[in-house]
Amino acid sequence: MTIVQPSGGGQAGRSSGSGLADVIDTILDKGLVIDAYVRVSLVGIELLTIDVRVVVASVDTYLRFAEAVNRLDLSQTGQKGLPDLMQDITQGGSKSKTKGALEGAGEKLRDLIGEPEEEEEEEEPAPRRKRRER
Amino acid sequence: MPPSRGKSETGRRTVKGRSAPRESEKAASTPAPSGQDTSAEATTASYIYGIVPADVELASDVHGVGDPPGKVELVRHGEIAALISDVPVEHPLGRPQDLFAHQRLLDDTAAEVPVLPLRFGAVVKTPQAVVDELLTPHHEEFLAVLRDLEGRAQFVVRGRYNEEKVIGEILAENAEAARLREQIRGLPEEATWDARIRLGEVIGQAVEASRETDTQTLARALASVCVAVAVREPSHEWDAAHLALLVETDRRADVEAVLDEFGHQWGDRVTLRLSGPLAPYDFVGSPE
């Protein structure tokens, strides 16, 4: 993964980790669907991931946007130290009723598995490969 | 060393993937069923990751989904091959480790050779079934797509709005939003429920309109340096753009140059992130 700094300048840092939400987004929704090609030998293994998506009602989304405006107000009143505290409280308090679909999916998966978040960060460098022309 | 099916020849391209995580070492003594089990009570099946050209070689210690992670093998037919591993049929799949294993193998492969990625969870009874039912009937079709993908890989671009900046813009430009903000300022939630919902709705609509514009602008600019561009659904409410790109790998610098340009232009309003190379998940279709 390359991070392109918003200020530009081609300072592209590299890391090959990607979050759980990205993975779910990609490999559960995209790619060739085997059912379209194979029928007779298909094995239906139970997938833990099928029901994990959390649908977010639009009202929740609206309230979250309104909260964001509120946070902006707090940070603009210049009460140093307080805004961050308030933000934490607001986010913590609203967590149960307002979570994004993918965050929700990730949380549910972690609930199922008991895995800590961000465990996917790579500790090993990406392997180097030699590529030979055919 | 490579799986027994693959005769090592010079000219093959090697995909190394990643070594098995340490926790799997304890399972090294478990005999790995080689998939020739055709009995009705088979306890393992073949998990399929993707399809690659047959001239690809696999490093010896690549592992995939399952607990312990199954050893990834290549099963070849003609000029194509499938990346597979044994999985026990009685255990559900889909732990985060499984999802990561699936994607990592495919992305590592895509960095080296063309690959048709399968959606997570594709399992058939035996390696022989992979050949008979998947590779043989669709050999020409898959081969054609693999040739088309030679030298290309997918990248994903995501732009994320700076919440504060964008809300500031909206409040400055949208009179209703500004009025509602004054109306609810300092009042308890219960007293301003309707106003809050309306304010959120106005903000949401403005963000959506902004996202549409920014996505189109970015997609148009990238189209000139990409083989194809696919607009993805936003996966976050502050997404400014979410695009999948099919890129000639030797034109990657051009893609990065376009993104740098947008980085300058958008300043701290949007944070852009480019991931890749990835397997071309967004550019392989399935027949209806």
Side-chain angles (χ1 to χ4, degrees):
Chain A
M1 171 165 60
T2 302
I3 309 298
V4 177
Q5 300 297 335
S7 55
Q11 300 274 9
R14 281 188 61 86
S15 101
S16 43
S18 66
L20 187 57
D22 285 337
V23 175
I24 290 173
D25 208 23
T26 297
I27 68 174
L28 294 184
D29 271 358
K30 313 272 196 305
L32 281 187
V33 182
I34 189 81
D35 312 33
Y37 293 97
V38 172
R39 296 192 192 278
V40 180
S41 295
L42 203 61
V43 176
I45 283 190
E46 184 193 346
L47 293 187
L48 296 172
T49 51
I50 284 173
D51 296 319
V52 300
R53 299 198 176 226
V54 180
V55 178
V56 178
S58 54
V59 167
D60 271 354
T61 310
Y62 295 155
L63 289 172
R64 210 159 44 243
F65 279 129
E67 270 173 27
V69 174
N70 193 35
R71 279 201 293 278
L72 188 68
D73 282 343
L74 287 166
S75 65
Q76 282 177 346
T77 52
Q79 297 162 322
K80 289 295 174 203
L82 190 57
D84 288 342
L85 183 64
M86 291 301 290
Q87 182 168 337
D88 289 343
I89 292 168
T90 309
Q91 286 178 337
S94 61
K95 198 175 179 188
S96 59
K97 56 179 179 184
T98 59
K99 36 184 168 183
L102 287 162
E103 291 159 43
E107 273 173 30
K108 183 76 175 294
L109 269 177
R110 282 191 295 282
D111 288 349
L112 283 169
I113 312 305
E115 283 292 311
E117 196 173 2
E118 304 305 331
E119 58 87 40
E120 69 276 11
E121 280 309 315
E122 313 232 340
E123 57 292 321
E124 52 183 321
R128 299 227 66 87
R129 303 171 196 86
K130 42 181 183 272
R131 171 167 183 163
R132 287 173 249 152
E133 295 307 317
R134 272 191 272 193
Chain B
M1 273 316 288
S4 54
R5 283 186 201 83
K7 284 275 180 287
S8 185
E9 301 167 9
T10 48
R12 286 203 195 281
R13 302 175 285 185
T14 305
V15 172
K16 286 184 182 162
R18 281 174 178 73
S19 305
R22 196 162 295 120
E23 63 192 346
S24 71
E25 280 174 12
K26 60 174 181 273
S29 59
T30 310
S34 62
Q36 296 308 317
D37 189 349
T38 51
S39 74
E41 297 299 314
T43 55
T44 65
S46 291
Y47 184 94
I48 316 175
Y49 301 85
I51 296 159
V52 294
D55 72 336
V56 166
E57 249 177 42
L58 205 54
S60 56
D61 58 348
V62 180
H63 287 73
V65 301
D67 185 21
K71 186 174 179 302
V72 178
E73 296 186 52
L74 275 168
V75 52
R76 295 189 171 85
H77 171 75
E79 293 182 63
I80 61 174
L83 290 160
I84 62 170
S85 69
D86 286 342
V87 284
V89 290
E90 69 274 17
H91 296 150
L93 279 176
R95 303 164 310 143
Q97 301 96 296
D98 295 328
L99 300 174
F100 287 122
H102 177 101
Q103 187 172 28
R104 277 175 182 165
L105 175 64
L106 288 171
D107 292 346
D108 284 351
T109 304
E112 297 297 313
V113 298
V115 57
L116 295 183
L118 261 58
R119 192 170 300 189
F120 183 86
V123 183
V124 299
K125 284 177 185 163
T126 61
Q128 194 55 48
V130 176
V131 173
D132 294 345
E133 290 192 44
L134 183 63
L135 298 185
T136 306
H138 307 286
H139 183 269
E140 294 309 307
E141 182 187 348
F142 291 155
L143 185 60
V145 180
L146 287 171
R147 284 189 173 143
D148 207 39
L149 288 170
E150 189 72 47
R152 298 171 172 178
Q154 175 168 324
F155 288 79
V156 168
V157 177
R158 178 170 296 155
R160 183 67 65 89
Y161 286 124
N162 175 327
E163 181 181 303
E164 228 171 81
K165 281 268 171 194
V166 170
I167 288 181
E169 281 174 18
I170 295 168
L171 291 173
E173 290 163 11
N174 187 308
E176 188 187 4
R179 184 179 57 75
L180 287 162
R181 174 212 204 178
E182 291 309 316
Q183 192 181 325
I184 65 177
R185 190 196 290 273
L187 293 176
E189 259 187 42
E190 306 77 48
T192 56
W193 183 260
D194 290 345
R196 280 172 197 276
I197 289 187
R198 178 59 193 152
L199 173 59
E201 191 180 359
V202 171
I203 302 273
Q205 284 164 352
V207 169
E208 205 179 310
S210 193
R211 174 188 303 133
E212 248 165 63
T213 307
D214 291 336
T215 297
Q216 287 311 316
T217 310
L218 186 61
R220 258 198 304 276
L222 285 167
S224 61
V225 292
C226 296
V227 179
V229 176
V231 175
R232 281 185 160 193
E233 286 295 307
S235 61
H236 188 278
E237 58 202 22
W238 291 105
D239 266 4
H242 194 193
L243 303 171
L245 317 174
L246 189 63
V247 176
E248 301 278 357
T249 46
D250 58 8
R251 294 202 68 188
R252 176 180 176 160
D254 297 338
V255 172
E256 289 175 347
V258 169
L259 291 176
D260 280 347
E261 231 170 80
F262 274 86
H264 280 299
Q265 191 183 317
W266 282 342
D268 57 2
R269 181 171 170 268
V270 177
T271 302
L272 285 169
R273 198 185 73 179
L274 176 68
S275 321
L278 310 171
Y281 306 94
D282 292 67
F283 300 99
V284 292
S286 285
E288 291 308 312

